Amino acid sequence: MSTVTWITVRGLFGRRRFLLLLPLPVLLVGLAVLSRGLGVAPADWGPPVLVGLGLAVVLPVVALIVGTGVLGAEIDDGTVVHVLTTPLPRWQIVLPKLAVAAGVTAVSVAVPLFAAGLLADSVRLGVALAVAASVGALAYSALFVAASLLTRRPVLLGLVYVLIWEGLLSNVVTGTRVLSIQHYVIALADRLAPTNLLSTTVSVAVAAVMTALIIITATFLSIDRLRSFSVAGETS
């Protein structure tokens, strides 16, 4: 399992797509620092920066870039053949790649969110955002890794979920928030550090159950789908 992890990390950091992870977190921290420096009230800049940018854009987009890359890129360039020819059970391939995707996403997003939360309110809010974002990173990563195995257009599918479902429908039809990872993260962060800067109609209980369900279901789908791949990289 450690070998698969090392290969995944090396491949991820060796691709130019990793450079795409930098601008959004930097923008998040930059806007927080600028707002704090200009003396803007946290109530005015907190929600649009922390939630509107941090949790609604930075977290899912970074997870999409990384999650669709740890296996999807190997399928696209044909190097997945080397993975498929190993005697390892498929779960020993999927789990390390999911761990790398979730870990890289969590570090890329949790650190800037902690800084932004600290500037907006307190250390407690910063920690709450970082913890909640890390949980969300695992859920998003599981979903997008599965998408990279289930469809030839995982990025497009991921953008539809993030932009249309979470970004548009959840703000218009509140009932759709029950199927929104973004709102699970908000609910968890607000529970850890109650604040007027965060707001959602999803309860912590629902968020916890649905997050676990998404992670488990998506992971099993990924393992099952990878079992159906032949050495040629196509489904059997």
Side-chain angles (χ1 to χ4, degrees), residues 86-130:
T86 63
L88 292 174
R90 294 310 184 231
W91 67 268
Q92 290 190 14
I93 296 173
V94 171
L95 292 188
K97 289 182 176 295
L98 174 58
V100 170
V104 171
T105 300
V107 172
S108 301
V109 179
V111 173
L113 273 175
F114 170 80
L118 176 62
L119 292 171
D121 186 76
S122 62
V123 172
R124 182 179 179 182
L125 178 59
V127 171
L129 287 169

Side-chain angles (χ1 to χ4, degrees), residues 30 65 108 128 155 177 182 229-230:
I65 293 171
S108 301
V155 175
R177 295 177 182 178
Q182 175 194 146
F229 274 64
S230 66

Side-chain angles (χ1 to χ4, degrees), residues 14 57 109 170 176 207 225:
V57 177
V109 179
S170 67
T176 61
R225 182 62 171 175

Side-chain angles (χ1 to χ4, degrees), residues 31-49:
L31 287 176
V33 171
L34 181 62
S35 299
R36 179 67 179 267
L38 294 176
V40 181
D44 293 328
W45 69 266
V49 173

